Amino acid sequence: MAYQPQVNIIAVVDVMGALSGGTLLNGNLCMMDNSSDDSSGQGTPHLCTSVRPGQVVQWTVLAVDLQTPVEIKNITFLGQNGDEAVPGERLSSDSDGDALDLAHWAGMVPPDLTPGTPHKYRLELQMYEGAHSVLHIDSPALMGA
C-alpha cells in the first residue's frame, strides 16, 4: 500500500461504562487506525499504530451513545519508565483555545522516531464534568515503521 500523509486514530468510548467503572479498560474503550502499515491491537485500548516520520497523526474521540459528551483533554508521550516525556514532547491540540471542545487532536511524527520501538502515550478523556470525570489510559503507542 502507498505511503499516506495522515494516519487517523479513532477512540470509541462507552462513557457510562467508563464513569461507572472508573476505568477506560473492561470494554469501555476501543481504538482503531487506518495506517497503511501493520498496526497491532486494533479494536482494543492497546492500539500500537504504525507511523512514518513526517506523517500527521490525528486522534478523534467518539461516544458509543452519541448524546453523551466525551472529549480529548490531553495527549502526552511517555518516557521509557512510563513517566511523562520531557517538555516539548507534549502534543498541542488543533483547538482554537475554547475549553473542552476537543473532538480532534493532531500532531506530526518527528523525523527521529526510533523504528520498531513503541512510543507509549497517555490519552486523557473528559466525560461530563466533576471530580471523577477525567480518565486516562497509558497503553496506546505509536511505532515507527
Side-chain angles (χ1 to χ4, degrees):
M1 205 176 246
Y3 167 82
Q4 59 195 80
Q6 180 170 311
V7 173
N8 298 297
I9 298 174
I10 305 284
V12 180
V13 183
D14 176 355
V15 174
M16 292 298 135
L19 290 174
S20 296
T23 182
L24 292 171
L25 297 173
N26 303 330
N28 295 324
L29 175 66
C30 171
M31 296 179 72
M32 299 150 289
D33 69 43
N34 70 337
S35 177
S36 58
D37 296 309
D38 291 331
S39 296
S40 62
Q42 293 279 4
T44 74
H46 311 290
L47 178 66
C48 186
T49 301
S50 186
V51 295
R52 296 174 185 254
Q55 274 185 317
V56 171
V57 179
Q58 178 172 291
W59 286 263
T60 302
V61 64
L62 301 168
V64 172
D65 172 2
L66 297 178
Q67 295 187 11
T68 56
V70 60
E71 295 167 343
I72 299 170
K73 182 174 173 91
N74 203 6
I75 296 175
T76 306
F77 281 90
L78 304 174
Q80 295 299 329
N81 301 341
D83 303 349
E84 286 190 16
V86 295
E89 292 190 72
R90 181 176 295 247
L91 291 176
S92 59
S93 75
D94 61 357
S95 164
D96 60 8
D98 293 339
L100 293 178
D101 189 17
L102 304 176
H104 306 282
W105 276 51
M108 185 175 291
V109 177
D112 59 350
L113 186 73
T114 307
T117 302
H119 298 276
K120 289 193 173 190
Y121 58 88
R122 175 172 296 139
L123 175 64
E124 286 182 80
L125 301 178
Q126 174 85 45
M127 296 162 276
Y128 292 104
E129 294 185 13
H132 304 287
S133 63
V134 177
L135 296 175
H136 74 273
I137 192 161
D138 291 346
S139 59
L142 299 182
M143 181 159 351

